[in-house]
Amino acid sequence: MSAYDELDSLQAMRADAAVAGARLPLVAPRLAFTDIYSDFPTDLPKPEIEISEAAQRIANALSLHLD
């Protein structure tokens, strides 16, 4: 038994490939340009990070200085 026993004949596979290729578009359709992103700001404000008093004490004890 060969590893290729389940394959069809070369002629049948070539015909299948030709049919599949004929059904595929040669060039993907391009969408029209939209300015959908123009309504969004380009630079959003950064979130504030709050350092708790306990985190400050631990950082100071480890000499990390989170000031």
Side-chain angles (χ1 to χ4, degrees):
M1 178 174 218
S2 169
Y4 301 102
D5 280 343
E6 72 277 0
L7 295 179
D8 214 344
S9 69
L10 290 177
Q11 293 80 11
M13 289 191 294
R14 185 176 294 122
D16 290 344
V19 170
R23 292 182 181 173
L24 293 175
L26 294 178
V27 177
R30 296 187 63 159
L31 299 175
F33 173 75
T34 63
D35 56 351
I36 191 168
Y37 296 107
S38 65
D39 297 334
F40 296 100
T42 56
D43 192 22
L44 298 175
K46 307 300 183 260
E48 291 293 321
I49 298 174
E50 293 183 25
I51 301 171
S52 69
E53 198 174 308
Q56 183 73 43
R57 284 195 309 270
I58 293 170
N60 288 339
L62 296 172
S63 301
L64 297 177
H65 305 292
L66 297 178
D67 294 10

